[in-house]
């Protein structure tokens, strides 16, 4: 099948399969422009933040829906609202800080004022000066303002959509993914850290990465050497019906007869020369009580929830250019954590992030792909591990959840 996304040369997609992905979708500016309109501003729920980040009346957070700047705020009625961070006058940002508390938002450029729901409430010199100038009589403030988004909360996570036809959030997530979200976020949380990581690659390469159970114990030496997760451990992948959302999990139990699989294949990531000076980082408390030591969950298009031992974090994937991405990390603890558990979470936070013992490689490998495909725009990636389908599987030697992402992506893009 051939589908054009612009007036440029059409991108060739292999027919009747989600196991082939043209490299061109990671390279072209026209593709990203269509993604903004059809994916991020389409019939999806975009993750914006946590209820715990704006707990009080007047609290706000600035974030993005794809490339679109957004204000997330709690109004006087206690409800959460989201609107485009753009003055309706000349387009300047309304809120400049990452977080804050305000009774209203005033544009720094020409002092147009907006309430906490994004409604235009005041125009400087609307009536002019001494009866001269000012806005025309036909000007109506109610007809001018930034775009507003619908909001929905689930397990303390706030999602938003610009589309009228997006299904209810529970239906969008799917029953199996809802259960996995509730597994981690059934208790009130507190933010214990945050940062933004700049990635040198297209945003979709990172969304593939978090759905890729295959690479985790191959790329990440720390995972395999210290036994945090291996494909030889029991586990599986659950995938929503539309393919867009997933949760992979690994248990501490090793599959029968699989103990020596890495050594037999001479897997590079098993490095017996590595050692830790402080082994307390490897301590793990089964606080949920189900034996899962690692869970990675994603919601299309750009939300990730992680539980690696007792390190809990949410990640927000945002395109900043065709070959650049911002990854917003927010580390979480439970509100009723003991001091000992909070210290353990903070210590284990060193596992992930741009310099994490585990995931520093993720920050580089996307760039390796972006550089490797520079002249391969007419070729395609092979995503065939575990078959060609996008279904839930009770093992992790599979790329079914990556294929699920591309199934959802092509559906929203109309490909």
């Amino acid at each position: 099948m051939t589908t054009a996304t612009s007036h440029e040369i059409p991108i060739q997609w292999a027919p009747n399969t989600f196991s082939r992905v043209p490299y061109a979708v990671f390279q072209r500016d026209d593709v990203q422009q269509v993604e903004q309109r059809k994916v991020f501003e389409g019939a999806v729920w975009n993750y914006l933040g946590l209820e715990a980040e704006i707990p009080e009346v007047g609290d706000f957070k600035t974030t993005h829906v794809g490339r679109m700047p957004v204000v997330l705020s709690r109004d006087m009625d206690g409800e959460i609202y989201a609107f485009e961070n753009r003055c309706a006058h000349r387009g300047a940002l309304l809120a400049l800080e990452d977080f804050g508390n305000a009774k209203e938002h005033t544009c720094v450029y020409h002092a147009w004022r907006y309430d906490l729901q994004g409604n235009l409430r005041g125009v400087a010199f609307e009536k002019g000066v001494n009866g001269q100038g000012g806005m025309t009589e036909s000007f109506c403030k109610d007809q001018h303002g930034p775009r507003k988004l619908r909001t929905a909360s689930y397990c303390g996570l706030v999602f938003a959509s610009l589309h009228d036809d997006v299904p209810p959030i529970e239906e969008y997530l799917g029953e199996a993914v809802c259960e996995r979200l509730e597994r981690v976020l059934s208790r009130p949380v507190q933010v214990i850290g945050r940062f933004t990581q700049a990635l040198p690659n297209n945003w979709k390469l990172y969304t593939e990465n978090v759905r890729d159970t295959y690479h985790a114990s191959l790329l990440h030496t720390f995972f395999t050497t210290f036994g945090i997760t291996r494909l030889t451990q029991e586990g599986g992948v659950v995938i929503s019906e539309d393919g867009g959302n997933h949760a992979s999990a690994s248990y501490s139990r090793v599959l029968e007869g699989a103990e020596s699989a890495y050594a037999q294949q001479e897997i590079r990531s098993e490095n017996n020369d590595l050692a830790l000076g402080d082994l307390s980082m490897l301590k793990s408390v089964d606080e949920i009580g189900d034996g899962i030591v690692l869970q990675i969950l994603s919601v299309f298009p750009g939300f990730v929830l992680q539980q690696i031992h007792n390190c809990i974090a949410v990640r927000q994937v945002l395109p900043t250019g065709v070959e650049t991405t911002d990854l917003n990390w927010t580390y979480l603890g439970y509100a009723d954590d003991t001091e000992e558990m909070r210290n353990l979470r903070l210590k284990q936070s060193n596992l992930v992030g741009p310099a994490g013992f585990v995931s520093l490689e993720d920050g580089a490998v996307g760039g390796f792909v972006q550089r490797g495909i520079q002249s391969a725009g007419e070729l395609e990636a092979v995503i065939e591990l575990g078959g060609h389908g996008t279904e839930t599987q009770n093992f992790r030697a599979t790329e079914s959840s990556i294929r699920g992402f591309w199934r959802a992506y092509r559906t929203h893009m109309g490909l």
Side-chain angles (χ1 to χ4, degrees), residues 155-202:
C155 289
L157 304 169
V158 182
F159 297 88
S161 181
L162 280 155
H163 206 279
D164 292 332
D165 296 329
V166 64
I169 186 65
E170 293 88 350
E171 180 182 336
Y172 181 85
L173 294 170
E175 182 178 356
V177 173
C178 282
E179 290 176 357
R180 293 301 185 89
L181 272 172
E182 293 169 6
R183 175 186 168 272
V184 179
L185 298 177
S186 59
R187 296 158 59 185
V189 298
Q190 289 181 342
V191 175
I192 61 175
R194 57 167 61 91
F195 58 85
T196 296
Q197 180 180 2
L199 300 176
N201 51 265
N202 186 275

Side-chain angles (χ1 to χ4, degrees), residues 71-128:
V71 177
L72 184 68
S73 69
R74 191 180 292 273
D75 198 5
M76 302 301 175
D77 59 3
E79 297 297 319
I80 294 175
Y81 297 87
F83 53 91
E84 188 176 14
N85 191 2
R86 176 188 59 83
C87 181
H89 178 215
R90 300 274 289 280
L93 292 171
L94 290 174
L96 303 179
E97 298 85 11
D98 293 336
F99 293 91
N101 185 281
K103 294 181 178 179
E104 62 181 11
H105 295 282
T106 301
C107 178
V108 68
Y109 199 178
H110 297 96
W112 285 31
R113 296 182 296 106
Y114 300 80
D115 65 21
L116 299 180
Q117 297 183 29
N119 299 305
L120 178 61
R121 294 305 188 198
V123 173
F125 298 111
E126 181 178 1
K127 301 302 182 181

Side-chain angles (χ1 to χ4, degrees), residues 137 205 319:
E137 292 185 4
L205 289 174

Side-chain angles (χ1 to χ4, degrees), residues 40-55:
F40 296 103
E41 297 180 24
V44 305
W45 285 109
N46 296 275
Y47 170 74
L48 295 187
L50 298 151
E51 291 183 11
E53 292 181 296
I54 50 170

